[in-house]
Amino acid sequence: VETARRLDPEKFEVHVCCLEDSSQLRSLEGVCRTVVFPAERVNSLNGLRQMVAFRKYLARHKIQIAHAFMNKTGIFAVLSSLGTQRIVITSRLNTGYWYTPGWKLFFRVLNRSTTRVLTNSKVGRDIAVEAEHLSPQKIDVLYQGVNAERFRPDAGDRAACDRLGIP
């Protein structure tokens, strides 16, 4: 949400596409284009239909960069972009606790069609390099952005802090 809000609209036409609706997605209405491609599972008939619809959406809007933040959307973005010139960026935002031999192999194959992989820590990068045999040159570490204004001393609910004894 913060990334979509902070990208310069003079430089980027931002579209946020999700596999399910949420209040966070709805909070972006008016900031950027939002759309849902409802797919509980990517490896299903409905998932395939939604992937085809997403591919058509990307083509119709001439979207040049697809950045997926989670594993399921990473699969969705890579497979929807096969055979195109689109830049596909996927993310590894955890320590790979979910890796199984099958997932490792699957992501090794998908990574051939991935332009870049972003991690939010050096540990995440190292795990992706080892588990997925990714070239370290294909990975960028970008630490999570936080809107620090939300945490300034006068931003909180002063009465609630007083009731709880929080200075």
Side-chain angles (χ1 to χ4, degrees):
V1 170
E2 286 299 317
T3 300
R5 289 186 186 285
R6 293 173 185 271
L7 285 172
D8 184 347
E10 297 297 319
K11 295 180 181 177
F12 299 98
E13 181 182 322
V14 179
H15 298 242
V16 176
C17 304
C18 292
L19 302 182
E20 60 186 56
D21 194 10
S22 71
S23 58
Q24 287 181 312
L25 179 65
R26 281 184 256 116
S27 77
L28 289 172
E29 291 172 2
V31 174
C32 62
R33 291 183 187 223
T34 61
V35 66
V36 176
F37 295 91
E40 190 172 313
R41 293 180 43 213
V42 176
N43 60 334
S44 67
L45 184 57
N46 180 57
L48 183 59
R49 283 187 192 120
Q50 294 303 323
M51 213 174 297
V52 169
F54 180 60
R55 183 180 175 95
K56 289 177 182 177
Y57 179 89
L58 294 171
R60 182 171 60 252
H61 293 283
K62 297 179 175 66
I63 293 175
Q64 299 170 332
I65 303 169
H67 180 186
F69 283 90
M70 303 303 283
N71 292 333
K72 189 164 47 169
T73 57
I75 295 166
F76 207 78
V78 171
L79 295 179
S80 297
S81 297
L82 289 175
T84 72
Q85 296 298 311
R86 188 171 301 111
I87 294 168
V88 180
I89 304 167
T90 61
S91 300
R92 303 297 181 274
L93 304 176
N94 58 56
T95 57
Y97 61 87
W98 52 271
Y99 281 125
T100 63
W103 279 117
K104 289 178 188 180
L105 179 61
F106 186 60
F107 273 89
R108 287 175 192 156
V109 172
L110 285 181
N111 289 337
R112 293 179 185 160
S113 298
T114 301
T115 311
R116 303 292 295 175
V117 175
L118 300 181
T119 67
N120 59 357
S121 69
K122 290 179 182 174
V123 170
R125 178 198 60 207
D126 294 345
I127 290 169
V129 166
E130 182 181 330
E132 299 180 37
H133 299 176
L134 268 165
S135 166
Q137 288 74 34
K138 195 171 185 172
I139 302 174
D140 294 296
V141 177
L142 293 177
Y143 297 99
Q144 298 290 53
V146 174
N147 180 357
E149 281 295 306
R150 293 180 59 201
F151 302 101
R152 69 182 194 281
D154 62 336
D157 180 343
R158 177 70 9 225
C161 289
D162 290 343
R163 283 193 310 276
L164 295 170
I166 299 171

